[in-house]
Amino acid sequence: SINVSNPGNTFNATCNVTCSDGDFCMNTQVYIQQNTSSGNKWSNINASSGDLILEGSSNPQALGNINSTKLVNFTLKGNAVLADTNIRCNASSDYSSRISPETATISINDNIAPNVTLVRPLNNSVESPVPFVKFEYIPFDNYKLRNCSLYANFTGVFSENLTNTSTLISAQVNNFTVSNISVGNYVWNVLCLDEANNSNFSISNFTLLITGD
């Protein structure tokens, strides 16, 4: 079993290929394949899609004509957070084909919390009473955001006010709209949660003063 700390991190997989036909294995090619633990269909790992993707090597790798043991290295990286997925080697030549009886289980974890940048109202802003105030922020996550929540002390207690879920766009400006904020001095921040249950506020609260007419 191999544990990978975060999606995007690379790891190496090595196939041990032996020609056992008593002579040369002609035009030998070696594949690295993946399959989920609950699935029954193996597929070649490619460089663009799938739970695991290929990094900086070809699949298959051509060995030509061999009559000895060869070690074939593939560099892979996680393309998603996974409980587990399985990989195996598959070698073929002109007159024979072998699939490895052994598989390796790969788990891709996500230990990185989202990053949150508060945008507007600017810190220490002073605003006149208006029907609504738009609170803008930029969330970013290395994998996938689940939701973000606006925290503020509009009621006198710093607590969750609103939550964004379906409309979240990572690395772009998102917003909450709050209506009828009373005159007063407030602090606000945004907490974001990703699909691996990592969470994070912006590094510091912003303050907002709503003045009288």
Side-chain angles (χ1 to χ4, degrees), residues 124-128 184-186 207-211:
N124 299 315
S125 289
V126 179
E127 304 281 351
S128 299
N185 196 18
Y186 302 103
T207 64
L208 170 65
L209 175 62
I210 305 293
T211 62

Side-chain angles (χ1 to χ4, degrees), residues 138-156:
I138 300 174
F140 173 78
D141 191 65
N142 64 310
Y143 174 50
K144 186 177 181 181
L145 291 164
R146 178 181 298 171
N147 62 57
C148 292
S149 299
L150 173 67
Y151 278 71
N153 61 340
F154 301 136
T155 63

Side-chain angles (χ1 to χ4, degrees), residues 127-178:
E127 304 281 351
S128 299
V130 291
F132 61 87
V133 176
K134 184 177 290 185
F135 294 85
E136 298 181 345
Y137 65 101
I138 300 174
F140 173 78
D141 191 65
N142 64 310
Y143 174 50
K144 186 177 181 181
L145 291 164
R146 178 181 298 171
N147 62 57
C148 292
S149 299
L150 173 67
Y151 278 71
N153 61 340
F154 301 136
T155 63
V157 178
F158 187 78
S159 60
E160 180 181 335
N161 283 259
L162 296 169
T163 297
N164 275 346
T165 53
S166 60
T167 59
L168 279 176
I169 305 175
S170 182
Q172 295 188 31
V173 174
N174 294 254
N175 68 78
F176 299 96
T177 299
V178 181

Side-chain angles (χ1 to χ4, degrees), residues 1-11 34 50-53 76-85 87 105-111 142-143 196:
S1 178
I2 300 173
N3 287 299
V4 181
S5 58
N6 288 289
N9 288 4
T10 60
F11 62 96
Q34 67 179 339
D51 295 335
L52 300 172
I53 59 178
L76 308 175
K77 69 178 180 180
N79 195 36
V81 173
L82 304 170
D84 54 76
T85 191
I87 62 173
T105 301
I106 312 298
S107 297
I108 309 294
N109 305 305
D110 179 11
N111 301 316
N142 64 310
Y143 174 50

Side-chain angles (χ1 to χ4, degrees), residues 19 21 24-29 64-66 92-96:
C19 180
D21 288 349
F24 281 89
C25 293
M26 309 298 289
N27 298 317
T28 303
Q29 297 193 91
N65 305 329
I66 65 172
S92 66
S93 65
D94 284 352
Y95 305 107
S96 63

